[in-house]
Amino acid sequence: MTSRYFGITRVRFPYALLMRPWLNWIERVATDHKVGGSSPSGRTTFMDEHEKWMTKALQEAKEALREDEVPVGAVVVHQEKIIGRGHNMTERLQDPTAHAEMIALSAAANTLGTWRLEGASLYVTLEPCPMCAGAVVLARIENVFFGAPDPKAGACSSQYNIVQDGRLNHRSNVISGVLRGECEELLKSFFQKVREKT
């Protein structure tokens, strides 16, 4: 293409053509990051893997529900295996620290024989509270995935962000909203029944 300025012919460079390969590469890298594998029927997305583990945490939450506990469940995953699992047992044990995450982290440490859970991921149906977020930092958990946010006591983004506090000696990656609908529905149904009883 050409254009004329003050009698001088100027060649207009087709920047869009130059940028297209670069944009294609960016798009491909972004897609590869989200893709966890492939199959004849299509590609399995990156989130499918996380939803699989969150489903296991939901199973723990349902176990808590059967025990009349607040339905929160958690699993710790390391090298594609569950090394610790737990659900709320505060009422059953009459222990204020018996949250799903605390139980799962303790079980994971026992499995690996070390309190340093480096490279491990925590999947929990409700955003961790300050106590559990502190335990995540101490255990050196690499990734935290949670389903439902906790606007009152959440310590991974809602009220605080302990697990990513730059003043501490460890920070975790955080991904929220994994199977959020299922996690929230379980909690809503529990508290609805509690209100009906009172």
Side-chain angles (χ1 to χ4, degrees):
M1 295 182 186
T2 62
S3 60
R4 191 171 294 278
Y5 296 92
F6 304 104
I8 300 173
T9 299
R10 177 186 175 194
V11 177
R12 303 177 72 180
F13 193 83
Y15 289 102
L17 293 178
L18 177 65
M19 292 298 293
R20 188 65 256 176
W22 174 247
L23 293 174
N24 286 340
W25 181 82
I26 292 174
E27 187 177 67
R28 187 170 65 253
V29 170
T31 301
D32 289 345
H33 176 68
K34 294 177 181 177
V35 171
S38 60
S39 65
S41 60
R43 297 204 285 185
T44 302
T45 64
F46 181 67
M47 284 303 291
D48 283 345
E49 184 72 11
H50 301 312
E51 289 176 356
K52 178 181 75 173
W53 299 121
M54 189 60 76
T55 298
K56 301 297 185 182
L58 273 166
Q59 291 174 0
E60 289 293 320
K62 290 173 182 176
E63 184 63 29
L65 185 63
R66 284 189 285 271
E67 298 172 2
D68 290 326
E69 297 274 0
V70 176
V72 178
V75 296
V76 178
V77 177
H78 184 257
Q79 296 180 352
E80 300 300 311
K81 293 180 180 179
I82 294 177
I83 59 172
R85 61 177 74 226
H87 56 268
N88 270 1
M89 299 180 72
T90 304
E91 295 297 333
R92 180 180 176 183
L93 299 179
Q94 288 299 296
D95 181 352
T97 70
H99 287 195
E101 303 96 315
M102 302 295 282
I103 294 170
L105 290 171
S106 293
N110 184 63
T111 298
L112 294 184
T114 176
W115 59 268
R116 292 177 178 270
L117 303 180
E118 294 166 335
S121 296
L122 172 69
Y123 292 82
V124 58
T125 56
L126 179 66
E127 181 181 356
C129 70
M131 174 183 70
C132 296
V136 164
V137 173
L138 292 174
R140 312 294 197 268
I141 290 290
E142 183 174 351
N143 306 299
V144 176
F145 300 87
F146 67 85
D150 186 347
K152 292 184 178 180
C156 292
S157 65
S158 294
Q159 284 289 348
Y160 316 96
N161 197 351
I162 292 173
V163 298
Q164 293 183 324
D165 192 323
R167 295 168 295 182
L168 302 178
N169 63 352
H170 176 79
R171 284 163 292 286
S172 302
N173 302 311
V174 177
I175 294 180
S176 62
V178 182
L179 296 183
R180 175 175 176 171
E182 291 91 329
C183 296
E184 287 183 330
E185 186 57 38
L186 202 60
L187 288 161
K188 287 177 182 177
S189 62
F190 171 79
F191 287 112
Q192 179 62 35
K193 290 179 181 178
V194 170
R195 284 191 291 270
E196 289 173 354
K197 290 179 180 179
T198 57

